[in-house]
Structures are given as C-alpha cells and as structure tokens.
Amino acid sequence: MCLTQITRGRSLAFPREVVFSRSFRAGIAMTFSSAVVMVAAVFLVPQKFAFDWGWDPLQVAGGLMPVILALVVGTRLCAPLMARLGPWKTGQAGFSLTTVACLLFLNMSATPSWTAILAWSIPLGISLGVVLPLGLDLALRKVPENAYGTTSAAAHAARQLGGTVGVAFVGGAFNFAAQGIPGSAYQMAFLVMASISGLTALALTAARFKHRRKSGR
C-alpha cells in the first residue's frame, strides 16, 4: 500500500511533483544501475586476481588501485562534464563508457596482464566516478525543501538495493556459468553488467529525446 501511494504521488513524504519528476526517476535509475555494476565488480574482480591468477592479498590490492584512482578522477570530472554537456548527455556518456569497460574485461586471460587490467579498469573507474554523484544530483535536483530528507533517503536506498542486486543477480549469473561452462563465469557476469549499463544508457537517450519531442526542441 505504501508503494502504491508513492508511485501515485499520494504520499506525504513523496509529493506528486517529486514522484513524477523525470530528473528524480532518472537519478534513481542511474543510482541503482551504477551501484549494481560497482558492487558486482568489487565482488568479482578480487576473485579473478586471487583464484585465477594466484595473487596474494597485496597484489590483489595493487591490481585494484587503477580502478580506484580512476574512480577519484571520475568524481572530479563529473561537475565539468555536467556544465559542458548537461546531466542527460553526461549520464548517457558515462553509462556507455561503463558498458565498454565491462566488455573490455572479457579480454582478461588466465594469466596476469597489466595491459588487460588497465584497459578495462581506467574507463570503468572514470565512468562510475561520473555517474554515481550524477545520479544523486539528478534525484535531488527539483525536490522541495520539505521532501529533501525522504528523497535523499530514497536515493541512498536505491544505491543499497543496487548493491544487493549486483551481488545476488550478477553473482548468480557467475555461479550458473561456472557450473555449466567452465571458464566462462567471469565473461557471463561482466556481460550481464554490460547489458545493465547499456540498457541504462539507452533509457536515458530515449527519455531525453522524448522530452525534446514534447517540448518541441
């Protein structure tokens, strides 16, 4: 009943103008999708390093450093990109780059390769660094002052839900592939992540063109 009231704009905590705001819905979707990819990557990549490549904990930490540093760079790029391209084009570009990064992970071989690591980790970190704060910004952009707290909580809940789905759904795909086709588990998991990112980019593109058509621009 609570969800029905919220989606129909009848909740006191979520006014109608918030629920039906396209920026709020886009922000929640972006926050959810980026959390799915980020948490799934954090869940899977150390396993690749440790179990497939036989790296010790220090080497695993070193292998994660490129994506972590790129994530920091991405957060610094978010505001300039939004100012130059606008939030919708920035979101499209961010999720498109995330899709490419997940597909580049498929080049990871059974033997350690820093070239392969850098090829996917830098674009993945930069793109997630851009879309994570962008999603929160969009969700809260047109929120009235009396609904700011609950809307912020909803955005953070979407991020937590995305992380849970990232581990459960992508992890399920990983385990299914591991049992069915030996050696394909990581490829299957990152294909799922690429699909989620790609669908989000397409949804943002469709929403932007729909808005332009309605506004006559």
Side-chain angles (χ1 to χ4, degrees):
M1 182 178 294
C2 179
L3 288 175
T4 302
Q5 288 181 337
I6 291 174
T7 54
R8 292 180 178 177
R10 297 177 181 175
S11 170
L12 295 176
F14 289 91
R16 185 180 183 87
E17 63 268 23
V18 173
V19 176
F20 289 99
S21 166
R22 75 187 188 106
S23 63
F24 170 75
R25 293 188 174 191
I28 292 295
M30 291 174 63
T31 300
F32 175 83
S33 298
S34 57
V36 170
V37 174
M38 183 179 70
V39 174
V42 170
F43 173 69
L44 292 172
V45 173
Q47 295 188 52
K48 175 73 174 179
F49 293 161
F51 300 129
D52 278 22
W53 290 0
W55 281 8
D56 59 40
L58 187 60
Q59 289 175 307
V60 171
L64 293 174
M65 284 305 297
V67 71
I68 294 172
L69 294 175
L71 186 70
V72 175
V73 173
T75 59
R76 302 291 293 178
L77 292 175
C78 182
L81 286 173
M82 285 178 61
R84 184 175 182 84
L85 301 176
W88 293 87
K89 287 184 179 180
T90 302
Q92 291 171 238
F95 278 103
S96 297
L97 185 59
T98 302
T99 304
V100 172
C102 291
L103 293 175
L104 287 172
F105 184 90
L106 304 181
N107 292 324
M108 295 273 280
S109 63
T111 56
S113 169
W114 275 100
T115 302
I117 291 175
L118 295 175
W120 65 263
S121 61
I122 292 177
L124 183 66
I126 290 176
S127 60
L128 288 177
V130 169
V131 297
L132 280 167
L134 176 60
L136 185 60
D137 178 80
L138 273 177
L140 302 177
R141 175 160 292 197
K142 296 183 179 180
V143 175
E145 190 173 327
N146 64 338
Y148 192 88
T150 51
T151 308
S152 176
H156 288 291
R159 181 173 295 175
Q160 295 294 327
L161 180 61
T164 303
V165 171
V167 173
F169 184 67
V170 179
F174 174 86
N175 290 327
F176 176 80
Q179 295 175 7
I181 308 174
S184 68
Y186 294 100
Q187 286 77 4
M188 175 64 73
F190 272 82
L191 279 174
V192 171
M193 292 158 62
S195 300
I196 293 171
S197 299
L199 288 173
T200 305
L202 288 174
L204 290 172
T205 303
R208 186 168 70 89
F209 280 108
K210 182 179 179 181
H211 178 72
R212 288 180 61 182
R213 189 167 58 249
K214 283 185 176 181
S215 61
R217 292 184 294 174

